Amino acid sequence: MLLTLADGPLRFSGLRQLIGSVTPKVLTSTLRTLERDGLVQRTVYAQVPVRVDYELTDIGHSLLGPMEILRKWSESHASKVLQARDEFDARDDLIRS
């Protein structure tokens, strides 16, 4: 969600389209939590129909750097993590047999 808002404000429908398979209920709940935590700002525009934009706050933007580091780590270590899972599951299957 935060990475989706990194390039600027988006409306609910735009967020939902970019994120993909997320229900409106889950998206609403997530946005409310992020707003409550001070990471996302919700702006309502008094027009017809009402327009609502969501954007990162300063503290939300401050998370983008650490998230990028974590993304790069995940990409470079994904094969090792998957291998460890496979090895664990194989041992677990032997124990249960």
Short mmCIF file of all heavy atoms in Angstrom, two decimals, residues 3-58:
data_model
loop_
_atom_site.label_atom_id
_atom_site.label_comp_id
_atom_site.label_asym_id
_atom_site.label_seq_id
_atom_site.Cartn_x
_atom_site.Cartn_y
_atom_site.Cartn_z
N LEU A 3 4.01 1.60 -0.90
CA LEU A 3 4.75 1.73 -2.16
C LEU A 3 3.84 2.20 -3.28
O LEU A 3 4.27 2.94 -4.17
CB LEU A 3 5.41 0.40 -2.53
CG LEU A 3 6.52 -0.06 -1.60
CD1 LEU A 3 7.01 -1.45 -1.99
CD2 LEU A 3 7.67 0.93 -1.57
N THR A 4 2.59 1.81 -3.24
CA THR A 4 1.63 2.23 -4.27
C THR A 4 1.38 3.73 -4.18
O THR A 4 1.18 4.39 -5.20
CB THR A 4 0.30 1.46 -4.10
OG1 THR A 4 0.59 0.06 -4.14
CG2 THR A 4 -0.67 1.79 -5.22
N LEU A 5 1.43 4.28 -2.98
CA LEU A 5 1.21 5.71 -2.78
C LEU A 5 2.49 6.53 -2.89
O LEU A 5 2.46 7.75 -2.74
CB LEU A 5 0.56 5.96 -1.41
CG LEU A 5 -0.89 5.49 -1.27
CD1 LEU A 5 -1.33 5.54 0.18
CD2 LEU A 5 -1.80 6.34 -2.15
N ALA A 6 3.61 5.90 -3.16
CA ALA A 6 4.90 6.60 -3.19
C ALA A 6 4.96 7.69 -4.25
O ALA A 6 5.63 8.70 -4.05
CB ALA A 6 6.03 5.60 -3.40
N ASP A 7 4.27 7.51 -5.35
CA ASP A 7 4.35 8.49 -6.45
C ASP A 7 3.34 9.63 -6.33
O ASP A 7 3.31 10.50 -7.19
CB ASP A 7 4.17 7.78 -7.79
CG ASP A 7 5.34 6.88 -8.11
OD1 ASP A 7 6.47 7.18 -7.67
OD2 ASP A 7 5.13 5.86 -8.80
N GLY A 8 2.50 9.59 -5.30
CA GLY A 8 1.56 10.68 -5.12
C GLY A 8 0.17 10.19 -4.76
O GLY A 8 -0.08 8.98 -4.67
N PRO A 9 -0.74 11.15 -4.55
CA PRO A 9 -2.10 10.81 -4.10
C PRO A 9 -2.86 9.95 -5.10
O PRO A 9 -2.65 10.07 -6.31
CB PRO A 9 -2.78 12.18 -3.97
CG PRO A 9 -1.71 13.20 -4.02
CD PRO A 9 -0.55 12.58 -4.73
N LEU A 10 -3.71 9.10 -4.55
CA LEU A 10 -4.58 8.26 -5.37
C LEU A 10 -5.96 8.18 -4.74
O LEU A 10 -6.10 8.28 -3.52
CB LEU A 10 -4.02 6.83 -5.49
CG LEU A 10 -2.80 6.64 -6.36
CD1 LEU A 10 -2.23 5.24 -6.16
CD2 LEU A 10 -3.15 6.84 -7.82
N ARG A 11 -6.94 7.97 -5.58
CA ARG A 11 -8.28 7.73 -5.09
C ARG A 11 -8.42 6.25 -4.74
O ARG A 11 -7.59 5.42 -5.13
CB ARG A 11 -9.31 8.12 -6.16
CG ARG A 11 -9.27 9.61 -6.46
CD ARG A 11 -10.07 9.90 -7.67
NE ARG A 11 -11.33 10.51 -7.26
CZ ARG A 11 -12.22 11.00 -8.10
NH1 ARG A 11 -12.01 10.92 -9.39
NH2 ARG A 11 -13.32 11.53 -7.65
N PHE A 12 -9.47 5.92 -4.00
CA PHE A 12 -9.72 4.55 -3.56
C PHE A 12 -9.71 3.59 -4.74
O PHE A 12 -9.04 2.55 -4.71
CB PHE A 12 -11.06 4.49 -2.82
CG PHE A 12 -11.37 3.16 -2.21
CD1 PHE A 12 -10.99 2.89 -0.91
CD2 PHE A 12 -12.05 2.18 -2.92
CE1 PHE A 12 -11.26 1.67 -0.31
CE2 PHE A 12 -12.34 0.96 -2.34
CZ PHE A 12 -11.95 0.71 -1.04
N SER A 13 -10.43 3.94 -5.80
CA SER A 13 -10.52 3.04 -6.96
C SER A 13 -9.16 2.86 -7.63
O SER A 13 -8.83 1.77 -8.09
CB SER A 13 -11.55 3.56 -7.96
OG SER A 13 -11.20 4.86 -8.41
N GLY A 14 -8.36 3.91 -7.68
CA GLY A 14 -7.02 3.81 -8.25
C GLY A 14 -6.12 2.90 -7.43
O GLY A 14 -5.37 2.09 -7.98
N LEU A 15 -6.20 3.03 -6.11
CA LEU A 15 -5.44 2.15 -5.22
C LEU A 15 -5.85 0.70 -5.43
O LEU A 15 -5.00 -0.18 -5.57
CB LEU A 15 -5.70 2.52 -3.76
CG LEU A 15 -4.81 3.58 -3.15
CD1 LEU A 15 -5.37 4.03 -1.81
CD2 LEU A 15 -3.41 3.07 -2.99
N ARG A 16 -7.14 0.48 -5.44
CA ARG A 16 -7.65 -0.90 -5.58
C ARG A 16 -7.19 -1.52 -6.89
O ARG A 16 -6.80 -2.69 -6.94
CB ARG A 16 -9.17 -0.90 -5.47
CG ARG A 16 -9.73 -2.30 -5.43
CD ARG A 16 -11.14 -2.33 -4.92
NE ARG A 16 -11.57 -3.71 -4.87
CZ ARG A 16 -12.68 -4.16 -5.41
NH1 ARG A 16 -13.51 -3.34 -5.99
NH2 ARG A 16 -12.99 -5.44 -5.34
N GLN A 17 -7.22 -0.73 -7.95
CA GLN A 17 -6.81 -1.23 -9.26
C GLN A 17 -5.32 -1.57 -9.27
O GLN A 17 -4.91 -2.61 -9.80
CB GLN A 17 -7.13 -0.20 -10.33
CG GLN A 17 -6.83 -0.64 -11.73
CD GLN A 17 -7.20 0.42 -12.76
OE1 GLN A 17 -7.36 1.58 -12.43
NE2 GLN A 17 -7.34 0.00 -13.99
N LEU A 18 -4.49 -0.71 -8.69
CA LEU A 18 -3.04 -0.93 -8.71
C LEU A 18 -2.60 -2.08 -7.79
O LEU A 18 -1.67 -2.80 -8.10
CB LEU A 18 -2.31 0.35 -8.32
CG LEU A 18 -2.35 1.46 -9.37
CD1 LEU A 18 -1.79 2.76 -8.79
CD2 LEU A 18 -1.59 1.06 -10.62
N ILE A 19 -3.30 -2.22 -6.67
CA ILE A 19 -2.93 -3.27 -5.72
C ILE A 19 -3.36 -4.64 -6.22
O ILE A 19 -2.68 -5.63 -6.01
CB ILE A 19 -3.51 -2.97 -4.32
CG1 ILE A 19 -2.79 -1.76 -3.74
CG2 ILE A 19 -3.37 -4.16 -3.39
CD1 ILE A 19 -3.38 -1.23 -2.47
N GLY A 20 -4.49 -4.69 -6.86
CA GLY A 20 -4.95 -5.98 -7.39
C GLY A 20 -6.00 -6.61 -6.53
O GLY A 20 -6.92 -5.93 -6.08
N SER A 21 -5.86 -7.87 -6.27
CA SER A 21 -6.90 -8.64 -5.61
C SER A 21 -7.02 -8.31 -4.13
O SER A 21 -6.45 -8.98 -3.27
CB SER A 21 -6.66 -10.14 -5.80
OG SER A 21 -5.40 -10.48 -5.25
N VAL A 22 -7.75 -7.26 -3.85
CA VAL A 22 -8.06 -6.88 -2.48
C VAL A 22 -9.53 -6.46 -2.44
O VAL A 22 -10.01 -5.78 -3.34
CB VAL A 22 -7.13 -5.74 -1.98
CG1 VAL A 22 -7.30 -4.47 -2.79
CG2 VAL A 22 -7.36 -5.45 -0.52
N THR A 23 -10.22 -6.91 -1.41
CA THR A 23 -11.63 -6.55 -1.30
C THR A 23 -11.74 -5.10 -0.82
O THR A 23 -10.85 -4.60 -0.14
CB THR A 23 -12.37 -7.47 -0.32
OG1 THR A 23 -11.83 -7.25 1.00
CG2 THR A 23 -12.23 -8.93 -0.72
N PRO A 24 -12.83 -4.44 -1.16
CA PRO A 24 -13.03 -3.07 -0.66
C PRO A 24 -12.97 -2.99 0.86
O PRO A 24 -12.43 -2.03 1.42
CB PRO A 24 -14.41 -2.69 -1.20
CG PRO A 24 -14.61 -3.54 -2.39
CD PRO A 24 -13.90 -4.83 -2.08
N LYS A 25 -13.50 -4.00 1.53
CA LYS A 25 -13.51 -4.01 2.99
C LYS A 25 -12.09 -4.04 3.56
O LYS A 25 -11.76 -3.30 4.48
CB LYS A 25 -14.31 -5.21 3.50
CG LYS A 25 -14.40 -5.30 5.00
CD LYS A 25 -15.22 -6.50 5.44
CE LYS A 25 -15.26 -6.60 6.95
NZ LYS A 25 -16.06 -7.72 7.41
N VAL A 26 -11.25 -4.89 2.99
CA VAL A 26 -9.86 -5.00 3.46
C VAL A 26 -9.09 -3.72 3.13
O VAL A 26 -8.32 -3.23 3.96
CB VAL A 26 -9.18 -6.24 2.85
CG1 VAL A 26 -7.68 -6.23 3.12
CG2 VAL A 26 -9.81 -7.52 3.39
N LEU A 27 -9.31 -3.17 1.95
CA LEU A 27 -8.63 -1.93 1.57
C LEU A 27 -9.04 -0.79 2.49
O LEU A 27 -8.19 -0.04 2.97
CB LEU A 27 -8.92 -1.59 0.11
CG LEU A 27 -8.24 -0.34 -0.44
CD1 LEU A 27 -6.73 -0.40 -0.26
CD2 LEU A 27 -8.61 -0.13 -1.89
N THR A 28 -10.33 -0.68 2.77
CA THR A 28 -10.81 0.36 3.68
C THR A 28 -10.20 0.21 5.06
O THR A 28 -9.73 1.18 5.66
CB THR A 28 -12.36 0.31 3.77
OG1 THR A 28 -12.90 0.58 2.48
CG2 THR A 28 -12.88 1.33 4.77
N SER A 29 -10.18 -1.00 5.56
CA SER A 29 -9.61 -1.27 6.89
C SER A 29 -8.13 -0.92 6.94
O SER A 29 -7.64 -0.30 7.89
CB SER A 29 -9.84 -2.74 7.26
OG SER A 29 -9.21 -3.04 8.47
N THR A 30 -7.40 -1.30 5.90
CA THR A 30 -5.97 -1.02 5.85
C THR A 30 -5.72 0.48 5.78
O THR A 30 -4.84 1.00 6.48
CB THR A 30 -5.34 -1.73 4.63
OG1 THR A 30 -5.59 -3.12 4.73
CG2 THR A 30 -3.85 -1.47 4.56
N LEU A 31 -6.48 1.18 4.94
CA LEU A 31 -6.31 2.64 4.84
C LEU A 31 -6.61 3.32 6.17
O LEU A 31 -5.90 4.25 6.57
CB LEU A 31 -7.21 3.19 3.74
CG LEU A 31 -6.74 2.91 2.31
CD1 LEU A 31 -7.84 3.24 1.32
CD2 LEU A 31 -5.47 3.70 2.00
N ARG A 32 -7.65 2.88 6.86
CA ARG A 32 -7.98 3.47 8.16
C ARG A 32 -6.86 3.25 9.17
O ARG A 32 -6.52 4.14 9.95
CB ARG A 32 -9.29 2.90 8.69
CG ARG A 32 -10.49 3.45 7.98
CD ARG A 32 -11.77 2.95 8.58
NE ARG A 32 -12.91 3.48 7.85
CZ ARG A 32 -14.11 2.99 7.87
NH1 ARG A 32 -14.36 1.91 8.61
NH2 ARG A 32 -15.09 3.52 7.19
N THR A 33 -6.29 2.05 9.15
CA THR A 33 -5.19 1.75 10.07
C THR A 33 -3.98 2.62 9.76
O THR A 33 -3.36 3.19 10.66
CB THR A 33 -4.81 0.26 9.99
OG1 THR A 33 -5.94 -0.53 10.36
CG2 THR A 33 -3.63 -0.06 10.89
N LEU A 34 -3.64 2.74 8.48
CA LEU A 34 -2.50 3.57 8.09
C LEU A 34 -2.74 5.04 8.41
O LEU A 34 -1.82 5.76 8.81
CB LEU A 34 -2.20 3.38 6.60
CG LEU A 34 -1.68 2.02 6.19
CD1 LEU A 34 -1.62 1.89 4.67
CD2 LEU A 34 -0.32 1.75 6.81
N GLU A 35 -3.98 5.49 8.25
CA GLU A 35 -4.32 6.87 8.61
C GLU A 35 -4.20 7.06 10.12
O GLU A 35 -3.64 8.05 10.60
CB GLU A 35 -5.73 7.20 8.13
CG GLU A 35 -6.13 8.63 8.37
CD GLU A 35 -7.53 8.96 7.89
OE1 GLU A 35 -8.28 8.05 7.51
OE2 GLU A 35 -7.87 10.15 7.92
N ARG A 36 -4.71 6.11 10.87
CA ARG A 36 -4.65 6.18 12.34
C ARG A 36 -3.20 6.22 12.82
O ARG A 36 -2.87 6.92 13.77
CB ARG A 36 -5.36 4.97 12.93
CG ARG A 36 -5.37 4.92 14.43
CD ARG A 36 -6.19 3.74 14.93
NE ARG A 36 -6.19 3.72 16.38
CZ ARG A 36 -5.78 2.70 17.11
NH1 ARG A 36 -5.35 1.60 16.53
NH2 ARG A 36 -5.81 2.77 18.41
N ASP A 37 -2.32 5.47 12.14
CA ASP A 37 -0.91 5.42 12.51
C ASP A 37 -0.12 6.63 12.01
O ASP A 37 1.07 6.74 12.28
CB ASP A 37 -0.27 4.14 11.97
CG ASP A 37 -0.78 2.89 12.66
OD1 ASP A 37 -1.38 3.00 13.75
OD2 ASP A 37 -0.59 1.79 12.11
N GLY A 38 -0.78 7.50 11.26
CA GLY A 38 -0.11 8.71 10.78
C GLY A 38 0.72 8.52 9.53
O GLY A 38 1.52 9.38 9.18
N LEU A 39 0.54 7.39 8.84
CA LEU A 39 1.33 7.11 7.65
C LEU A 39 0.66 7.57 6.37
O LEU A 39 1.32 7.84 5.36
CB LEU A 39 1.62 5.60 7.56
CG LEU A 39 2.35 5.00 8.76
CD1 LEU A 39 2.45 3.50 8.63
CD2 LEU A 39 3.72 5.62 8.92
N VAL A 40 -0.66 7.66 6.40
CA VAL A 40 -1.46 8.06 5.24
C VAL A 40 -2.40 9.18 5.65
O VAL A 40 -2.95 9.17 6.75
CB VAL A 40 -2.25 6.85 4.67
CG1 VAL A 40 -3.27 7.28 3.64
CG2 VAL A 40 -1.30 5.81 4.08
N GLN A 41 -2.57 10.13 4.74
CA GLN A 41 -3.52 11.21 4.96
C GLN A 41 -4.68 11.06 3.99
O GLN A 41 -4.48 10.79 2.81
CB GLN A 41 -2.83 12.56 4.73
CG GLN A 41 -3.77 13.74 4.87
CD GLN A 41 -3.03 15.05 4.66
OE1 GLN A 41 -1.87 15.18 5.04
NE2 GLN A 41 -3.69 16.00 4.04
N ARG A 42 -5.88 11.22 4.51
CA ARG A 42 -7.10 11.14 3.71
C ARG A 42 -7.63 12.55 3.54
O ARG A 42 -7.86 13.26 4.52
CB ARG A 42 -8.12 10.27 4.45
CG ARG A 42 -9.44 10.11 3.77
CD ARG A 42 -10.32 9.19 4.64
NE ARG A 42 -11.58 8.93 4.02
CZ ARG A 42 -12.70 9.58 4.29
NH1 ARG A 42 -12.71 10.54 5.20
NH2 ARG A 42 -13.82 9.28 3.67
N THR A 43 -7.84 12.98 2.29
CA THR A 43 -8.35 14.32 2.01
C THR A 43 -9.67 14.20 1.26
O THR A 43 -9.74 13.54 0.22
CB THR A 43 -7.34 15.13 1.17
OG1 THR A 43 -6.09 15.14 1.85
CG2 THR A 43 -7.82 16.55 0.97
N VAL A 44 -10.70 14.83 1.81
CA VAL A 44 -12.03 14.82 1.20
C VAL A 44 -12.26 16.16 0.52
O VAL A 44 -12.08 17.21 1.14
CB VAL A 44 -13.13 14.56 2.25
CG1 VAL A 44 -14.50 14.57 1.61
CG2 VAL A 44 -12.88 13.25 2.98
N TYR A 45 -12.65 16.14 -0.74
CA TYR A 45 -12.93 17.35 -1.50
C TYR A 45 -14.44 17.47 -1.66
O TYR A 45 -15.10 16.55 -2.13
CB TYR A 45 -12.26 17.30 -2.88
CG TYR A 45 -10.76 17.25 -2.78
CD1 TYR A 45 -10.08 16.03 -2.78
CD2 TYR A 45 -10.02 18.42 -2.70
CE1 TYR A 45 -8.69 15.99 -2.69
CE2 TYR A 45 -8.64 18.39 -2.61
CZ TYR A 45 -7.99 17.17 -2.60
OH TYR A 45 -6.62 17.13 -2.51
N ALA A 46 -14.97 18.64 -1.28
CA ALA A 46 -16.42 18.88 -1.34
C ALA A 46 -16.81 19.23 -2.77
O ALA A 46 -16.88 20.39 -3.16
CB ALA A 46 -16.81 20.00 -0.38
N GLN A 47 -17.03 18.21 -3.55
CA GLN A 47 -17.50 18.38 -4.92
C GLN A 47 -18.48 17.26 -5.20
O GLN A 47 -18.65 16.35 -4.41
CB GLN A 47 -16.33 18.38 -5.90
CG GLN A 47 -15.49 17.10 -5.88
CD GLN A 47 -14.23 17.22 -6.73
OE1 GLN A 47 -13.47 18.15 -6.56
NE2 GLN A 47 -14.04 16.29 -7.64
N VAL A 48 -19.15 17.34 -6.33
CA VAL A 48 -20.14 16.33 -6.68
C VAL A 48 -19.63 15.56 -7.89
O VAL A 48 -19.41 16.15 -8.95
CB VAL A 48 -21.50 16.98 -6.98
CG1 VAL A 48 -22.54 15.93 -7.38
CG2 VAL A 48 -21.98 17.78 -5.78
N PRO A 49 -19.42 14.24 -7.75
CA PRO A 49 -19.48 13.48 -6.51
C PRO A 49 -18.27 13.80 -5.62
O PRO A 49 -17.27 14.32 -6.08
CB PRO A 49 -19.43 12.02 -6.98
CG PRO A 49 -18.68 12.07 -8.28
CD PRO A 49 -19.03 13.41 -8.90
N VAL A 50 -18.41 13.46 -4.35
CA VAL A 50 -17.33 13.71 -3.40
C VAL A 50 -16.08 12.97 -3.85
O VAL A 50 -16.13 11.83 -4.29
CB VAL A 50 -17.75 13.24 -1.98
CG1 VAL A 50 -16.59 13.35 -1.01
CG2 VAL A 50 -18.94 14.04 -1.49
N ARG A 51 -14.95 13.66 -3.74
CA ARG A 51 -13.67 13.05 -4.12
C ARG A 51 -12.82 12.87 -2.87
O ARG A 51 -12.72 13.78 -2.04
CB ARG A 51 -12.94 13.96 -5.11
CG ARG A 51 -11.67 13.35 -5.62
CD ARG A 51 -11.03 14.23 -6.68
NE ARG A 51 -9.64 14.46 -6.28
CZ ARG A 51 -8.93 15.49 -6.62
NH1 ARG A 51 -9.46 16.45 -7.35
NH2 ARG A 51 -7.69 15.60 -6.22
N VAL A 52 -12.23 11.70 -2.72
CA VAL A 52 -11.37 11.40 -1.58
C VAL A 52 -10.03 10.92 -2.12
O VAL A 52 -9.98 9.99 -2.94
CB VAL A 52 -11.98 10.32 -0.66
CG1 VAL A 52 -11.06 10.02 0.50
CG2 VAL A 52 -13.35 10.76 -0.16
N ASP A 53 -8.97 11.57 -1.68
CA ASP A 53 -7.61 11.16 -2.07
C ASP A 53 -6.86 10.64 -0.86
O ASP A 53 -7.09 11.09 0.27
CB ASP A 53 -6.82 12.35 -2.64
CG ASP A 53 -7.23 12.73 -4.04
OD1 ASP A 53 -7.98 11.97 -4.67
OD2 ASP A 53 -6.79 13.79 -4.50
N TYR A 54 -5.97 9.70 -1.11
CA TYR A 54 -5.10 9.15 -0.07
C TYR A 54 -3.67 9.42 -0.49
O TYR A 54 -3.31 9.22 -1.66
CB TYR A 54 -5.33 7.64 0.09
CG TYR A 54 -6.72 7.32 0.56
CD1 TYR A 54 -7.74 7.09 -0.35
CD2 TYR A 54 -7.02 7.27 1.91
CE1 TYR A 54 -9.02 6.81 0.07
CE2 TYR A 54 -8.30 6.98 2.34
CZ TYR A 54 -9.29 6.75 1.42
OH TYR A 54 -10.58 6.47 1.84
N GLU A 55 -2.84 9.88 0.46
CA GLU A 55 -1.44 10.12 0.16
C GLU A 55 -0.59 9.88 1.39
O GLU A 55 -1.08 9.90 2.52
CB GLU A 55 -1.23 11.54 -0.37
CG GLU A 55 -1.58 12.63 0.63
CD GLU A 55 -1.44 14.02 0.02
OE1 GLU A 55 -0.40 14.29 -0.62
OE2 GLU A 55 -2.36 14.82 0.19
N LEU A 56 0.69 9.64 1.15
CA LEU A 56 1.61 9.41 2.25
C LEU A 56 1.88 10.71 3.01
O LEU A 56 1.98 11.77 2.40
CB LEU A 56 2.94 8.86 1.73
CG LEU A 56 2.94 7.48 1.11
CD1 LEU A 56 4.34 7.11 0.65
CD2 LEU A 56 2.42 6.44 2.09
N THR A 57 2.00 10.60 4.30
CA THR A 57 2.45 11.71 5.13
C THR A 57 3.98 11.72 5.11
O THR A 57 4.61 10.85 4.51
CB THR A 57 1.96 11.55 6.57
OG1 THR A 57 2.53 10.34 7.10
CG2 THR A 57 0.44 11.49 6.66
N ASP A 58 4.56 12.68 5.78
CA ASP A 58 6.03 12.72 5.86
C ASP A 58 6.58 11.45 6.51
O ASP A 58 7.56 10.88 6.04
CB ASP A 58 6.50 13.94 6.65
CG ASP A 58 6.30 15.24 5.87
OD1 ASP A 58 6.11 15.18 4.64
OD2 ASP A 58 6.32 16.31 6.51
#
